[in-house]
Amino acid sequence: MTETVDQRLRSAWTPASAEAAALPPHAVRWLTRRLGPLEPGAPVAPDTAFAVPDSRLPDAARTALADVVGASYLRLGPGERLGRAGGLSYVDLLRRRYPGVLPVPDAVVSPADPGEVQRVLDVCVAHGVGVVPFGGGTSVVGGVAALRGECEAVVTLDLERLDRLVSVDPVSRLAVFEAGVRGPDAERLLAAHGFTLGHVPQSFERATLGGFAATRSAGQASSGYGRFEDMVQGVHLATPAGSWRLGVAPASAAGPDLRALALGSEGTLGVLTEVTVRVRPLPTRERYEGVVLDGFQRATDAVRLLAQQGLLADVTRVSDESETAVSLALKGGFTTAALRRYLAARGVREPCLLILGWHGRAPQRRRARALLRAAGAVSLGRAAGQAWRHGRFHGPRQRDALLDLGVCVETLETATHWSRLGELYEAVSTALRDSLGDPVVMCHVSHAYETGASLYFTVLTPRDPHDPFGQWERAKRAAGDAITEGGLGTITHHHAVGTDHAPYLRSEVGDVGVAVLAAAKRATDPTGVLNPGKLGL
Ligand SMILES: Cc1cc2nc3c(=O)[nH]c(=O)nc-3n(C[C@H](O)[C@H](O)[C@H](O)COP(=O)(O)OP(=O)(O)OC[C@H]3O[C@@H](n4cnc5c(N)ncnc54)[C@H](O)[C@@H]3O)c2cc1C
């Protein structure tokens, strides 16, 4: 059971092959050419480098929690506690390389089922102990940091043992899962019934269904299958105020949709123990392909037309010029002068790569192809689509290698309506460039809607060895200010609020919105033990 920080960071992303985790030599050459000489970063520190304070969990709470879950599922060892001290943002990863004070929980408690989750909450309320729900721990916004708030002690409630498919209703196409089921397990369990969920975020391999619901996650195939909140038909929460079940019908007019309060509540209103999701038959045929368009404006215009005509592929993802150039360069071979000449001869001087992943739906694909041809798209065929599909989970694994090299690498995301997308793109790109000097800033649209789209930025720049935290915090603040200035975009399209985005929430939902959230919190969690400090609550 003993687990170290290092294992949590690396082993859960362990790829099927070493190829996925390492940076190929041509990528390292490209990075040093583009970013200049890099000063190798500090390695991941061993657990012994961290000062883990003694657990402050009161004896009476210890005994009561052990009575609920069994002594072996109440873990107090420094390794287990350190391993749940944070998520997987760049700053979280830095903290494990530059040891300082981490928000370490006083214990890790792993209940076996929804009933035990409720009893754990009851114990924590009785003893004034904070509770941080922990799914896959992939939060990139500080969502699982073990903050104490007003509580004397705080425990991380790990949902790892709630890993069952409870039931499948093939007639209604519904499945009930316990909240700790991870992405691949959900797909494996559903495949046995001929169904798929179709929710594949980049953190798929490690994140859980409860985490997806608690953060309103969006997967790579969101254009076809919807965001996770679109899939959720019902939820069961354990709350300090009691058990709360929502969602009895596919649609309802019984007052405001209270499921929407649970979705995105980030563990502040209750612990999701079960999630009922819509499922779909497994696709009989998948086809991934790539096309290029000339310039990001033209490319996003084409995606807008696809969205507004109901022709989006299940996976629709279009990269800007910078991301296209980098991904083609890193694949090797594609940036040959011959390819550039080939594209230029067809009117594409600023290639922007559009990946289309079709799960069946041949008639829509034919119409989409015609629309794209009319927009000047040049096909790169299936090879480009398959290459993207093959490497779509490599990014998280390669972050460790980039950090080892001394690179500052982070992502941020936002969304807005089509008419303001170009303005938002310019504002965020400029903010990142102004605050970081001469970084590589790349962007793609990965989630498109009839009325707008998300923008997902990736930044690469040499890490400032003297102020690695301040360097990114300044850049992130500049980007956040640019996004929210004048209500240009949302502070988060799918990464959620956690602690990092909490300062921006009021500007997005208003004073009344913040008061509504606080009132909901008082109703379900009157003593404020649930996930202190998240969502600004
Ligand atoms: C490399 C990488 C790539 C990513 N890609 C994507 C992506 O493509 N799309 C996307 O949407 N997100 C992405 N994320 C963000 C993250 O994976 C999502 O926020 C995910 O939904 C979190 O799931 P989790 O199980 O890891 O939750 P955790 O990180 O464990 O928790 C997230 C938040 O939800 C709360 N929570 C977790 N489980 C429960 C529960 N059962 N009940 C109540 N509250 C709970 C936690 O307290 C925390 O506040 C990515 C993250 C990383 C590190």
Side-chain angles (χ1 to χ4, degrees):
M1 274 290 202
T2 304
E3 202 173 49
T4 66
V5 175
D6 188 60
Q7 282 168 335
R8 276 203 76 80
L9 263 183
R10 293 178 188 268
S11 65
W13 296 107
T14 298
S17 69
E19 167 230 2
L23 288 171
H26 67 268
V28 177
R29 278 198 301 278
W30 179 86
L31 277 167
T32 41
R33 225 178 18 246
R34 172 61 183 83
L35 299 180
L38 294 163
E39 201 165 309
V44 174
D47 285 8
T48 48
F50 296 87
V52 181
D54 289 340
S55 172
R56 284 158 49 182
L57 191 62
D59 286 345
R62 241 180 242 208
T63 309
L65 286 173
D67 280 350
V68 173
V69 297
S72 54
Y73 291 106
L74 175 68
R75 284 168 282 168
L76 298 147
E80 286 96 345
R81 290 163 55 209
L82 264 177
R84 290 161 184 81
L88 288 177
S89 69
Y90 170 64
V91 169
D92 286 321
L93 300 191
L94 274 186
R95 285 193 183 125
R96 281 121 183 197
R97 288 166 184 262
Y98 298 86
V101 179
L102 287 178
V104 181
D106 293 293
V108 179
V109 55
S110 305
D113 55 41
E116 283 194 7
V117 174
Q118 184 64 55
R119 288 167 60 208
V120 165
L121 284 191
D122 295 344
V123 170
C124 290
V125 170
H127 295 276
V129 172
V131 182
V132 180
F134 192 100
T138 64
S139 171
V140 285
V141 292
V144 290
L147 305 180
R148 282 159 207 280
E150 305 286 302
C151 302
E152 271 300 296
V154 60
V155 298
T156 289
L157 192 163
D158 196 321
L159 289 133
E160 62 196 329
R161 294 172 72 204
L162 274 76
D163 59 358
R164 285 165 286 254
L165 170 61
V166 178
S167 63
V168 176
D169 171 352
V171 175
S172 313
R173 292 188 178 169
L174 289 174
V176 182
F177 282 99
E178 288 185 340
V181 177
R182 291 177 191 240
D185 294 328
E187 287 299 346
R188 181 179 50 75
L189 290 163
L190 285 175
H193 296 266
F195 289 115
T196 178
L197 186 53
H199 186 70
V200 189
Q202 204 186 31
S203 53
F204 170 74
E205 291 163 300
R206 188 163 159 176
T208 61
L209 268 59
F212 296 148
T215 59
R216 297 170 78 190
S217 167
Q220 293 166 341
S222 66
S223 297
Y225 293 87
R227 294 165 61 91
F228 197 72
E229 71 216 56
D230 303 326
M231 303 173 186
V232 174
Q233 299 283 304
V235 289
H236 178 244
L237 294 120
T239 83
S243 158
W244 195 15
R245 201 173 278 285
L246 290 162
V248 296
S252 162
D257 184 358
L258 293 176
R259 275 177 313 188
L261 256 187
L263 300 170
S265 61
E266 301 185 30
T268 61
L269 302 182
V271 181
L272 288 151
T273 59
E274 284 179 2
V275 185
T276 304
V277 283
R278 170 199 78 198
V279 295
R280 291 190 174 155
L282 280 165
T284 47
R285 186 146 185 257
E286 287 188 5
R287 184 183 172 117
Y288 280 75
E289 56 200 348
V291 303
V292 284
L293 290 118
D294 190 33
F296 198 44
Q297 179 66 53
R298 223 175 268 183
T300 53
D301 282 349
V303 170
R304 175 174 55 80
L305 292 178
L306 290 174
Q308 292 175 342
Q309 295 184 28
L311 297 177
L312 287 173
D314 298 85
V315 174
T316 302
R317 174 195 164 107
V318 63
S319 298
D320 70 354
E321 297 86 346
S322 168
E323 188 170 280
T324 302
V326 173
S327 60
L328 295 184
L330 297 189
K331 295 261 172 335
F334 267 130
T335 44
T336 58
L339 177 65
R340 288 210 169 266
R341 276 200 302 278
Y342 174 83
L343 292 174
R346 284 152 184 80
V348 177
R349 286 181 175 74
E350 300 288 345
C352 287
L353 180 62
L354 169 60
I355 298 294
L356 301 163
W358 297 95
H359 296 191
R361 302 173 61 222
Q364 285 94 333
R365 178 175 167 269
R366 278 192 292 277
R367 288 175 58 206
R369 279 174 67 89
L371 186 153
L372 288 168
R373 260 198 309 275
V378 177
S379 174
L380 293 184
R382 288 200 200 188
Q386 284 304 338
W388 176 83
R389 194 177 195 284
H390 173 72
R392 64 182 171 163
F393 300 130
H394 289 187
R397 298 159 178 154
Q398 290 175 337
R399 291 197 312 167
D400 285 328
L402 286 164
L403 264 80
D404 287 344
L405 268 183
V407 176
C408 163
V409 50
E410 186 53 309
T411 61
L412 58 91
E413 38 76 64
T414 175
T416 195
H417 296 122
W418 288 115
S419 56
R420 301 194 79 181
L421 199 70
E423 195 187 339
L424 180 62
Y425 174 76
E426 287 304 330
V428 178
S429 306
T430 304
L432 290 169
R433 289 205 180 91
D434 287 353
S435 56
L436 289 169
D438 183 25
V440 175
V441 178
M442 306 177 272
C443 183
H444 65 254
V445 166
S446 50
H447 308 276
Y449 309 90
E450 279 178 66
T451 56
S454 68
L455 290 175
Y456 188 93
F457 292 88
T458 303
V459 182
L460 296 169
T461 198
R463 177 150 78 248
D464 178 347
H466 307 294
D467 187 16
F469 294 95
Q471 176 189 29
W472 177 248
E473 279 158 13
R474 282 188 294 278
K476 172 82 179 166
R477 195 163 44 244
D481 291 347
I483 288 169
T484 49
E485 176 79 40
L488 187 51
T490 174
I491 191 62
T492 174
H493 169 264
H494 58 264
H495 280 170
V497 176
T499 50
D500 297 6
H501 293 145
Y504 296 99
L505 191 60
R506 189 177 293 272
S507 76
E508 187 154 335
V509 304
D511 292 343
V512 176
V514 170
V516 168
L517 281 177
K521 172 100 176 151
R522 279 196 300 279
T524 65
D525 179 25
T527 57
V529 296
L530 279 172
N531 218 0
K534 316 301 157 43
L535 269 182
L537 294 169

